[in-house]
Amino acid sequence: GESVGLHLPTLSVQEGDNSIINCAYSNSASDYFIWYKQESGKGPQFIIDIRSNMDKRQGQRVTVLLNKTVKHLSLQIAATQPGDSAVYFCSFRDNYGQNFVFGPGTRLSVLP
Amino acid sequence: EAGVTQFPSHSVIEKGQTVTLRCDPISGHDNLYWYRRVMGKEIKFLLHFVKESKQDESGMPNNRFLAERTGGTYSTLKVQPAELEDSGVYFCASSLWKGGSGELFFGEGSRLTVL
């Protein structure tokens, strides 16, 4: 079945450093990917998305990289701040077009 | 504009009892999803409505789970009878999904604890 996996379940970074969160996916036909951030007690919130016809997309302090050859997705956060501490989920559109598969998430902890 | 709202935020019931979770999507969003996160694991898809129709319910674990979406507005997810393994956080999300893209807007989740 389709699956999304994360290389690191937890990540600790110093405040001000850059963070990189990785994700591997199994469905080579997927054409749309989204990163979500979930803070404690809240639902996942959209961070950034990318289509399969792109390999990089930048937002405010965040960059998503897509490597379709190896089915790998990453989220880079520049100058990580305490407010970035959360669980980050990658997701991709499944074979049926409008549903999304989520991974187990990576917990990002920002150290002072 | 109001976001996706879910009720209750937390429900504690005993095994064998019934619980009904409610989700009010963002107004105008035809797509409504139910997801579940168990024991801090991945967010698992349960089902997807387009308006009042079930587009995909392949993620529903068994026939103890029943989802409805009356008139294409709010949705309910009933678990009857509840089992211990049903404990987890149930998320509802809605989206517009136009032009082949569209983020899911999530509610804050309903935490279900089955004792």
Side-chain angles (χ1 to χ4, degrees):
Chain A
E2 299 171 358
S3 66
V4 178
L6 295 176
H7 298 310
L8 295 173
T10 60
L11 177 65
S12 296
V13 298
Q14 291 292 138
E15 182 178 353
D17 287 351
N18 296 334
S19 303
I20 300 176
I21 301 172
N22 296 303
C23 175
Y25 62 95
S26 61
N27 185 355
S28 57
S30 185
D31 62 353
Y32 184 53
F33 304 82
I34 301 179
W35 278 100
Y36 288 88
K37 172 186 180 183
Q38 185 181 12
E39 297 175 282
S40 181
K42 297 184 179 179
Q45 291 183 299
F46 173 91
I47 300 174
I48 191 168
D49 60 357
I50 188 168
R51 291 185 168 279
S52 59
N53 60 355
M54 304 172 67
D55 53 20
K56 180 179 180 178
R57 189 160 188 230
Q58 289 184 292
Q60 187 177 18
R61 284 199 308 115
V62 294
T63 301
V64 55
L65 299 176
L66 175 63
N67 185 330
K68 295 180 288 295
T69 302
V70 295
K71 291 182 285 188
H72 184 269
L73 190 71
S74 68
L75 176 70
Q76 300 179 358
I77 304 174
T80 312
Q81 303 170 358
D84 295 327
S85 293
V87 177
Y88 290 80
F89 294 93
C90 71
S91 67
F92 68 91
R93 191 164 67 156
D94 73 2
N95 288 325
Y96 301 99
Q98 293 186 38
N99 298 334
F100 286 85
V101 177
F102 285 78
T106 294
R107 180 172 298 280
L108 175 65
S109 296
V110 181
L111 307 174
Chain B
E1 179 183 327
V4 176
T5 57
Q6 293 186 243
F7 182 84
S9 57
H10 192 188
S11 180
V12 181
I13 61 173
E14 292 188 350
K15 175 182 174 181
Q17 290 186 320
T18 298
V19 64
T20 300
L21 311 178
R22 172 170 171 145
C23 169
D24 286 80
I26 293 173
S27 178
H29 283 193
D30 289 340
N31 295 281
L32 186 149
Y33 305 80
W34 283 99
Y35 285 85
R36 176 172 73 170
R37 191 175 186 211
V38 176
M39 295 291 291
K41 295 183 179 177
E42 64 265 37
I43 298 174
K44 287 281 196 181
F45 168 78
L46 295 177
L47 88 159
H48 169 214
F49 284 99
V50 176
K51 297 184 180 179
E52 68 276 7
S53 299
K54 292 177 183 176
Q55 182 79 6
D56 182 352
E57 53 183 332
S58 61
M60 295 288 265
N62 51 61
N63 59 9
R64 295 186 294 103
F65 289 74
L66 175 64
E68 295 179 323
R69 189 179 183 192
T70 306
T73 56
Y74 71 92
S75 175
T76 58
L77 179 64
K78 179 190 288 188
V79 185
Q80 179 182 28
E83 298 289 343
L84 299 179
E85 63 265 26
D86 300 333
S87 296
V89 181
Y90 290 78
F91 289 104
C92 175
S94 69
S95 77
L96 279 173
W97 193 258
K98 287 185 177 179
S101 64
E103 65 183 278
L104 302 184
F105 293 84
F106 282 83
E108 296 193 343
S110 290
R111 179 175 295 277
L112 174 63
T113 302
V114 183
L115 303 177

